[in-house]
Amino acid sequence: MLAGTALLPLGSAVTVTAVAGTAALTLVLLVRRWSRWRPAVRAAALPAVVALVVLALAVGTNAWFGFYPTPASLAAGPDRGGLPAPPAPPVAGPGRDTVLTVDGVDVPVHLPPGYDAHLAHPVLVWTGPGAGSAAVDAAVDAAVTAGRMPAVVVLWTDRVPVSRLRAAVAAGSPVLRTDRAAWALAGPPEGPGCPLGRALAERADVATAAGPPGGDGCPAPASGSPDPLDLVVVRTAATQDDPMPDAPPPGPALASGSVTAAPGTPTADVVAAELDALGARLPAPVARSGVAGGPPPAAGSTGGTRDGL
């Protein structure tokens, strides 16, 4: 819809018909009587009739397209200008799954409720085993539907570096934000893998991470970004005494939070609390034209998907 001034109460069929009919009659009268009128009458009648015809066209446009045209609005093109945005449809229902191929590796992708190809979405890289994907995807859907998390797209992989993922999604299918601030990395509260250690090692590509504290076998922290890394440490009965990975000296200070679960807390509840903590930190989807800061597509990366994306 074109930009314009506020809607005028000129959209009724009676108003449009009356104005258009009057304009048509005066135009016919002007043409037929033109030769009979004196120059002074012509000079007065011509601009009046032109103004009436323009008003008729404007009223018709307002009725048919929902805006009142002005020269500025016509020059502005397809932009709503100062008009309020239409109300967003309610976010409901489950998300859906697809696959992103990166360097020959199929990365499962979960698109959240309310996924909109006209927007670029934040990204959560989940490093847990695929056997628990359905439960985590359902928890993400519930958090998005309840408004506790923005419409985040989940990439399931513990094999592909985040830098390669960011390069692959720059092609735009699915439509993801490529700026570092919109990328988070997380993993299950209990189980294999070291999501916080991996985030520290890939801190140039993620801004937020959540998961259990690290232990033996976690990747060595490496500095690669001047920006701080926001860590959410998820402590359960099995990880209460594990240390949090140290920041790589002389790396920037870490902003941090924590989720501590009492012994016996169901894993699903811990995952939900972990996702809520991430949801408070992740930015919202943005218009595609507002995406910036991502790396260019790298050679050897493909953005092929299935399920019609």
Side-chain angles (χ1 to χ4, degrees):
M1 187 177 292
L2 297 178
T5 59
L7 294 182
L8 299 180
L10 301 175
S12 68
V14 174
T15 302
V16 174
T17 303
V19 174
T22 303
L25 289 175
T26 54
L27 182 60
V28 171
L29 182 63
L30 177 68
V31 172
R32 298 189 63 176
R33 299 270 183 175
W34 182 259
S35 61
R36 302 179 187 179
W37 287 342
R38 291 176 294 178
V41 177
R42 295 177 187 174
L46 181 59
V49 173
V50 170
L52 189 57
V53 171
V54 171
L55 177 61
L57 294 174
V59 171
T61 303
N62 183 61
W64 294 325
F65 300 105
F67 79 103
Y68 187 79
T70 65
S73 70
L74 295 175
D79 183 1
R80 289 191 60 86
L83 293 177
V91 176
R96 55 194 177 93
D97 298 329
T98 184
V99 172
L100 175 69
T101 302
V102 183
D103 299 335
V105 178
D106 287 342
V107 177
V109 179
H110 181 71
L111 304 178
Y115 173 82
D116 186 344
H118 296 92
L119 302 176
H121 297 260
V123 186
L124 171 59
V125 179
W126 188 270
T127 65
S133 62
V136 174
D137 291 345
V140 169
D141 291 351
V144 172
T145 301
R148 302 191 306 270
M149 171 177 279
V152 62
V153 173
V154 185
L155 307 182
W156 283 79
T157 180
D158 56 3
R159 299 170 55 191
V160 182
V162 178
S163 60
R164 302 299 297 161
L165 295 173
R166 289 180 64 195
V169 303
S173 182
V175 187
L176 307 177
R177 290 181 59 162
T178 55
D179 52 315
R180 173 182 179 266
W183 282 69
L185 189 147
E190 296 179 358
C194 303
L196 295 187
R198 178 178 170 183
L200 287 166
E202 300 186 63
R203 60 189 306 144
D205 294 293
V206 297
T208 308
D216 295 338
C218 288
S223 180
S225 171
D227 300 312
L229 183 64
D230 192 355
L231 297 181
V232 177
V233 183
V234 181
R235 298 187 184 276
T236 63
T239 61
Q240 294 289 348
D241 299 328
D242 289 343
M244 186 179 76
D246 294 329
L254 300 176
S256 62
S258 64
V259 172
T260 302
T265 303
T267 300
D269 293 344
V270 182
V271 170
E274 180 180 356
L275 293 174
D276 286 351
L278 283 175
R281 291 163 165 81
L282 281 168
V286 297
R288 298 182 69 167
S289 60
V291 181
S301 294
T302 61
T305 59
R306 67 185 186 191
D307 293 355
L309 290 178

